[in-house]
Amino acid sequence: MMPMRDNLQSIISDEVIKTLEKLAFLFGMPDDDREAGDFSDKIVGSATFKGPFDGRLALALSRDALPELAGNMLGADDPETIDESQCRDALKETVNIVCGNVLPVLGGKSAVFDVAPPEIAREGIDAPDGGWGEPAAVVCLGFDEGQCDIYLYLEGDLSSLSDL
């Protein structure tokens, strides 16, 4: 199971880094020395999906990186002018785009997934699992200011992942 987990983490890391660079000019690097799981300063956005396999993708982003994410996505001159609602919407849209980029890589280009509208997790939760249990992959990224942890939960027929 470890090689698949390592491959999942590599795919997710690559796709999230590319997505954040193109979408919001946020340049992240893998942060393999850090343990994921401290949610005290993060906001968690997630989306569930159904298809050849089912799952949930959760993205926990540092609160100090949110205004930059939203400001860059919205083309704001000053990220400090972005309000909390815009930040949350930007995080949900980021989760949606990350799902749209990661799932075809995992399931194949012809795989069809139904992605539920992204949502923001309740504040103060202990984990972004939403009842999904142990993640299939966890990726930690670091930015100049802030961090991002990505969790992928999978269930169902994972035979299409056998090439990983």
Side-chain angles (χ1 to χ4, degrees):
M1 181 75 173
M2 250 331 164
M4 183 177 95
R5 183 180 176 99
D6 290 344
N7 288 339
L8 279 173
Q9 289 177 174
S10 177
I11 289 168
I12 293 165
S13 178
D14 290 348
E15 291 300 321
V16 171
I17 286 171
K18 286 191 293 189
T19 300
L20 291 175
E21 285 176 4
K22 290 177 183 174
L23 180 68
F25 308 107
L26 284 179
F27 299 95
M29 294 293 297
D31 193 355
D32 299 328
D33 297 332
R34 182 174 56 81
E35 286 264 335
D38 178 9
F39 302 103
S40 60
D41 73 332
K42 294 185 178 99
I43 294 183
V44 179
S46 67
T48 57
F49 54 87
K50 294 187 179 301
F53 48 86
D54 299 342
R56 176 185 182 93
L57 186 128
L59 196 146
L61 187 67
S62 296
R63 289 181 184 277
D64 53 353
L66 267 173
E68 184 177 0
L69 172 81
N72 289 349
M73 287 176 70
L74 295 171
D77 291 331
D78 181 7
E80 298 302 317
T81 63
I82 304 299
D83 66 31
E84 183 74 16
S85 173
Q86 291 171 310
C87 287
R88 289 171 182 264
D89 286 347
L91 180 58
K92 290 190 292 188
E93 183 60 21
T94 301
V95 169
N96 195 42
I97 293 169
V98 166
C99 276
N101 290 339
V102 168
L103 292 176
V105 175
L106 298 180
K109 293 186 189 232
S110 63
V112 177
F113 290 91
D114 179 23
V115 179
E119 54 190 30
I120 299 296
R122 294 171 307 181
E123 300 293 327
I125 62 168
D126 294 329
D129 69 353
W132 283 80
E134 192 67 28
V138 178
V139 172
C140 297
L141 301 177
F143 304 109
D144 286 341
E145 291 188 34
Q147 303 168 337
C148 178
D149 301 330
I150 304 98
Y151 300 81
L152 179 67
Y153 301 89
L154 298 173
E155 68 177 22
D157 180 11
L158 302 179
S159 63
S160 62
L161 295 175
S162 63
D163 293 337
L164 298 180

